[in-house]
Every structure is written in structure tokens, then in C-alpha cells.
Amino acid sequence: MHLAYPAVLAVLLFCVGLYGVLARRNAILVLMSVELMLNAVNLNLVAFDVWLRDTLHSGQALTLFTIAIAAAEIGIGLAIVLAVYRNRGTSAVDDLRDTAERPGDDGDDGADPEGAAAEEPDEPAPGASQKAEATA
């Protein structure tokens, strides 16, 4: 068998996985796409191991390590996705951006370092009441 057949199949698997990672919004589908990409790498490792007629079978040994790492990755990934789903009610990847710290949010509650409260303006800015009425 020629090396081109498994190589083309691996390229197709990797491209489908890459499309799934870039286009999908669901975290479970993203994890499945990563698994497709890892399986494409495993297919290449075994195909080149057979093609090179390696006596140590290092391609197959690396494939076993990759499978073990992929199993650990999917276990940890699913645990994280389940925890996020329980807290947020969704597993959409785009909604996870809300968990990141915002640029102006450093954890303080408006107090300056000496402990004094921040001063609030006595009068609202001109036009603030008109904006509030327009949005109501």
C-alpha cells in the first residue's frame, strides 16, 4: 500500500477537525474536533512507522502515548465543561468570555489604597437625565 492513502486520509481528518475547532460554538463539539485532529496525527505516525520499516516501532509507541494523553485530556476537558454547564447553564464557547477578568476590574470596590471612599459627584452630568429618559 502506498503512503499517499493514509496521508490523504489523515489530512482530511485533520482538516475536518480544524474546521470543527474554528467553526463550532459548543464545547463538546470542539473537544470532539480536537480528538479528530489527534487521530489524524496518530494515523500519520503509524503510517510512517510502517513505511520506514522502523525496527523499534517508535511511531507506534508515540501513538500509544498520544492516545493516553488524549484520554486524559478528554477526561479533564469534559469535567471542565460539565462544571461550566452547571454554573452557567450553557456550554457555548462564546459565552465563556464573561468569566474572564475585564480590563478595568482589578478586584477593588472603588476604595483608594488608604481606605477612604471614592468621591461621588454632587450633580449629574448635563444631559444625563435626558439620556435616562430616552433609554427608558
Side-chain angles (χ1 to χ4, degrees), residues 33-53:
S33 299
V34 169
E35 289 296 321
L36 273 177
M37 293 167 64
L38 285 173
N39 284 333
V41 170
N42 288 340
L43 182 62
N44 268 335
L45 283 171
V46 171
F48 277 99
D49 183 52
V50 170
W51 184 63
L52 293 174
R53 291 185 170 90

Side-chain angles (χ1 to χ4, degrees), residues 109-120:
D109 54 359
D112 61 358
E114 287 83 28
E119 294 183 24
E120 295 182 13

Side-chain angles (χ1 to χ4, degrees), residues 11 14 24 30-31 36 40 42 46 49 52 62 64 67 74 79 85-87 95 100 103-105 107 113 126 135:
V11 166
F14 194 85
R24 297 295 176 182
V30 170
L31 286 173
L36 273 177
N42 288 340
V46 171
D49 183 52
L52 293 174
L62 282 174
L64 287 175
I67 290 171
I74 202 70
Y85 183 77
R86 285 182 186 163
N87 289 335
D95 294 340
D105 188 20
T135 59

